[in-house]
Amino acid sequence: MRAVSVSVNSPMTVKLSIRMSFGALLALYLGTGIAALSAGGYFIHTEENSRRSIIVTKNVVVLLFVAGAYIILNAIVGVIAGLSPLSRKRWLQAYIWLTGITIIVETVAGIWLWLRTLNIGDLYGHNWRHLWSDNFKRSFQDSGQCCGYLGPLDGPVMSSPSCQLQADHVFGCMASVQKYAQGYLTYIYSGVFVFVFLSLGAMVSGMVLLIIRNDEERWRWTRANAIFRSMEKSTPDSIIAGKHRPASPDQSP
């Protein structure tokens, strides 16, 4: 069964079911870009002293905006290609390549986030001692009923009520910090890998559409060439002397 439809008085077009499948996966891909922009907008309103800021830094927010804008522009290229795939081959090829770049970047980002979960203890221990403000550290101490990172002598914020207890009854906040960071990073990199699968589906659907479009182009050329040959056999040479055989798809611009 051919993946194109044709009528007597209209040009051949890719079947509606195939274009709808491409459009559905393209819409999901576009949704990942909108989600990235929305997440960036949500996090940018995070209070300066919120614990979430130790995971989602300003640089991460900027990357979310850049990634969201890139994916939306890429999806627009896909929309332009999908409206007329038979006449917009280059647009379709550009969409596939741009989506491939998205998949690579998202995969690298997901692996990087996953690797960070393997080194939480050392990473956030350094941040606790040298980078975080007292407000950040106190928020962990108050919520976890702990003092300092490894203990009351390891970078504590003494104004926290939990540090007012006797040292023998107070533990460090390492476990509390690790649990918070582990949960947040796991949520983020899981979301990134969901984006990877959606992007992969969008790219594969574009590749399928490109293959069908190329097959249709070759079929039309073969059909036109066969008609021309039949005319050569049934028409005197003097009539077709000035006619030229149709160019193959590989020869067409």
Side-chain angles (χ1 to χ4, degrees):
M1 182 180 295
R2 293 185 57 79
V4 295
S5 58
V6 60
S7 61
V8 175
N9 298 318
S10 64
M12 285 166 282
T13 58
V14 177
K15 282 190 174 180
L16 180 61
S17 60
I18 295 175
R19 295 177 66 181
M20 288 182 64
S21 298
F22 172 77
L25 290 169
L26 178 60
L28 291 175
Y29 178 61
L30 175 62
T32 65
I34 296 174
L37 286 179
S38 300
Y42 172 76
F43 288 132
I44 204 172
H45 294 294
T46 299
E47 294 181 2
E48 195 66 26
N49 295 326
S50 171
R51 292 190 298 169
R52 185 170 54 241
S53 298
I54 69 173
I55 307 294
V56 185
T57 63
K58 291 181 179 179
N59 291 335
V60 173
V61 173
V62 171
L63 289 175
L64 284 172
F65 280 119
V66 172
Y70 175 87
I71 291 173
I72 290 174
L73 290 175
N74 186 9
I76 291 174
V77 173
V79 171
I80 294 173
L83 291 175
S84 183
L86 293 177
S87 61
R88 294 173 180 171
K89 178 180 180 178
R90 295 189 184 277
W91 284 90
L92 191 54
Q93 289 174 329
Y95 165 75
I96 294 171
W97 280 104
L98 292 173
T99 309
I101 293 173
T102 302
I103 293 172
I104 294 173
V105 173
E106 289 176 341
T107 302
V108 171
I111 293 174
W112 177 74
L113 288 168
W114 174 73
L115 290 175
R116 284 176 67 90
T117 64
L118 304 179
N119 192 35
I120 285 179
D122 293 337
L123 173 64
Y124 290 109
H126 172 80
N127 292 350
W128 179 285
R129 300 181 185 102
H130 303 289
L131 300 179
W132 292 351
S133 68
D134 286 350
N135 290 326
F136 276 136
K137 292 190 283 189
R138 177 166 179 169
S139 67
F140 279 106
Q141 291 183 166
D142 291 345
S143 63
Q145 294 298 304
C146 52
C147 183
Y149 189 69
L150 296 177
L153 301 179
D154 188 11
V157 179
M158 298 307 298
S159 60
S160 177
S162 58
C163 288
Q164 305 302 318
L165 303 176
Q166 293 183 2
D168 294 340
H169 301 284
V170 180
F171 298 96
C173 296
M174 182 177 69
S176 178
V177 172
Q178 289 181 345
K179 181 179 179 181
Y180 180 84
Q182 180 83 31
Y184 224 95
L185 287 173
T186 300
Y187 173 78
I188 293 174
Y189 78 68
S190 298
V192 170
F193 283 122
V194 169
F195 282 14
V196 169
F197 284 114
L198 292 176
S199 301
L200 183 62
M203 187 182 74
V204 170
S205 69
M207 294 173 67
V208 170
L209 185 61
L210 179 63
I211 291 171
I212 292 173
R213 176 241 174 256
N214 289 342
D215 178 67
E216 173 58 21
E217 186 178 55
R218 286 191 295 270
W219 183 82
R220 289 202 285 180
W221 175 81
T222 302
R223 183 184 181 190
N225 198 39
I227 294 174
F228 185 85
R229 288 180 178 177
S230 65
M231 291 176 60
E232 283 184 329
K233 294 179 181 179
S234 60
T235 308
D237 293 342
S238 59
I239 296 179
I240 64 172
K243 298 182 180 290
H244 299 282
R245 188 167 299 178
S248 67
D250 296 333
Q251 297 173 342
S252 60

